[in-house]
Amino acid sequence: MKKELIFLGPPACGKGTQTNKLAEYFGFPHIDTGSLLRAEIAADTENGRIAKKFIDKGQLVPVKLVGDIIKNRLKQDDCKDGFILDGFPRSMEQALMLEDIRKEIDKDNEVDFRATYFDIEMEKLISRIINRRSCSKCGAIYNLKTKAPKVEGKCDVCGVDLVQRKDDNEEVARARFDTYLKETAPLVDYYKNKNELSTIDAEGTIDEVWERLLKVVE
Ligand code: AMP
């Protein structure tokens, strides 16, 4: 059965690390709207230029722009057995949009659809954001305090430079938390009421959270 997994949780709750691992585990594509938008910015496309204005302020990028990117991506052949969607939907409007996209792409499929909510205390997360670095090549995520690279400033896997996201500073992070509470947090109840939600305790080590995640998505 085709598996379609989406994830909810505040910025820096650990979703990126875990869903990357999960995509590898199932052999499904990891589709992460934040990374797709950053790639548009790096390529200096029209969409990238629009997205940058919102990302720099910690606000959601217009729904039409993100929706079109996701729709095109989910139609691709590598999504036919399943996908891991990280960072979409992020508002009620996007959740309804995803339902429309799924109706279109899943006409002939039986689908196991599940939303997983990463439950974590938000106060701790600002420090995670400020200390977060990622590999400019493979996207591996590090933390200067809790998961430092073996060689300072270099990725353990590919050896290239680690970078800090421009929106990973305290001011923009606070705006991203406000956006999350206002736009995204209501989706937890939305999927709970549809009986499509699993909640995991996202406190603890990467391995501890991974064990909990596997129990709800396998
Ligand atoms: P992330 O990498 O998931 O933390 O996302 C970084 C930024 O990209 C967010 O603060 C938003 O500005 C933008 N973004 C990512 N996903 C979406 C989405 N589904 N809808 C609108 N904006 C998004």
Side-chain angles (χ1 to χ4, degrees), residues 7-217:
F7 299 87
L8 301 171
C13 65
K15 268 185 305 114
T17 302
Q18 298 290 344
T19 55
N20 259 307
K21 232 169 119 101
L22 201 59
E24 206 172 299
Y25 178 83
F26 283 128
F28 296 156
H30 177 253
I31 302 168
D32 157 16
T33 40
S35 297
L36 290 173
L37 292 167
R38 283 187 288 278
E40 297 276 344
I41 295 174
D44 197 24
T45 63
E46 169 88 43
N47 278 344
R49 282 192 289 271
I50 298 170
K52 187 173 183 317
K53 293 192 192 132
F54 294 88
I55 293 179
D56 285 352
K57 286 190 272 188
Q59 297 169 353
L60 293 187
V61 167
V63 62
K64 169 92 174 63
L65 195 160
V66 190
D68 284 349
I69 293 179
I70 284 295
K71 189 169 174 174
N72 290 333
R73 184 64 191 86
L74 296 184
K75 279 181 174 172
Q76 286 173 26
D77 204 43
D78 62 345
C79 294
K80 70 179 189 323
D81 296 329
F83 54 76
I84 306 279
L85 202 45
D86 174 10
F88 187 94
R90 240 165 154 123
S91 66
M92 201 53 225
E93 203 179 356
Q94 293 186 9
L96 298 177
M97 184 180 263
L98 180 61
E99 271 153 39
D100 285 343
I101 297 173
R102 292 181 51 226
K103 272 189 204 131
E104 200 181 317
I105 60 175
D106 290 329
K107 283 194 195 93
D108 305 320
N109 302 319
E110 243 196 291
V111 177
D112 174 16
F113 175 84
R114 186 125 291 266
T116 302
Y117 169 49
F118 279 56
D119 189 10
I120 191 162
E121 226 183 285
M122 282 177 51
E123 277 84 86
K124 297 177 184 160
L125 299 177
I126 289 273
S127 131
R128 260 201 208 177
I129 287 187
I130 295 165
N131 288 299
R132 177 161 65 181
R133 300 289 183 277
S134 57
C135 173
S136 51
K137 189 171 167 212
C138 74
I141 300 165
Y142 296 85
N143 182 291
L144 299 185
K145 294 241 165 81
T146 57
K147 192 185 170 229
K150 292 190 182 98
V151 178
E152 198 184 322
K154 301 280 178 199
C155 177
D156 292 351
V157 186
C158 14
V160 307
D161 286 345
L162 297 182
V163 291
Q164 181 174 28
R165 279 168 47 173
K166 198 165 168 273
D167 60 346
D168 273 354
N169 62 68
E170 184 154 356
E171 192 192 339
V172 181
R174 293 207 183 273
R176 283 156 64 203
F177 281 108
D178 289 346
T179 305
Y180 170 77
L181 287 174
K182 195 164 141 246
E183 307 271 359
T184 315
L187 294 182
V188 173
D189 275 343
Y190 177 70
Y191 288 112
K192 195 189 278 172
N193 291 334
K194 284 163 68 76
N195 275 329
E196 289 174 334
L197 188 84
S198 302
T199 296
I200 59 162
D201 174 5
E203 309 271 353
T205 65
I206 292 175
D207 289 345
E208 284 164 353
V209 178
W210 172 246
E211 292 302 320
R212 294 176 203 140
L213 178 60
L214 273 189
K215 281 195 191 124
V216 300
V217 296

